[in-house]
Amino acid sequence: MEFKKQTIISIGREYGSGGHEIARKIAAKLGVPLYDRSILEEVAVFMGVDPDELHKYDEQPKRKFFSRTVRGHNNSNEGAVYGLQSDLLKEREAMGQSFVVVGRCADSLFKLNPGLVSIFITGDYKDKLNRVMEKRELSARAAANAIAKHDRNRKAYHNSLCDTKWGETRTYDLIINSSKLGIDGTVDFLVNYVMALQKKV
């Protein structure tokens, strides 16, 4: 698809909702880049460090007792990784590129861009639990703990860096439950939504 104007699709998601898979399929259908954990590879090359070192701090809340902010810059590893990812994404925005980005506070980072489409993916708890159990080969209890931990971290990460609240309706253009249409049905719905917005330009 050729966009009439720059379009940045921000995907927030609950753990186990299939949000990342949905984002990947949307990017493929629209023919635009997907930015997720993979952007750490570019950041690592720039910094000359092992990508695995950065992955430990990706989308993780800052540890309050080990960080401080001076003149807008945070000295924590988590804050530094967020800042580097944000710089890279803002460079892509400045180039006029359209793309899909998973998490990384993109709904807040690009809030002044008129081409932002901010989406949050949720899901029925049973479906999320089954997806995590299957993908990670976990027991029901372990999967439940993983869901609680990841969502707690994502919420803390987002809310510590943004002036909007993770998962709250007013933060996003659209909140959708992936359980209702399934993964592919949700992808088709969201692609049609983006295409409809393009027709209004």
Side-chain angles (χ1 to χ4, degrees), residues 148-168:
K149 176 183 177 182
H150 280 273
D151 281 350
R152 183 171 60 248
N153 283 347
R154 285 175 180 174
K155 182 176 182 179
Y157 164 81
H158 185 282
N159 292 354
S160 69
L161 293 165
C162 306
D163 55 4
T164 55
K165 298 299 182 183
W166 184 84
E168 287 194 2

Side-chain angles (χ1 to χ4, degrees), residues 117-130:
V117 182
S118 57
I119 298 165
F120 189 83
I121 311 293
T122 183
D124 292 347
Y125 188 75
K126 181 180 178 181
D127 291 333
K128 293 190 296 182
L129 190 69
N130 288 337

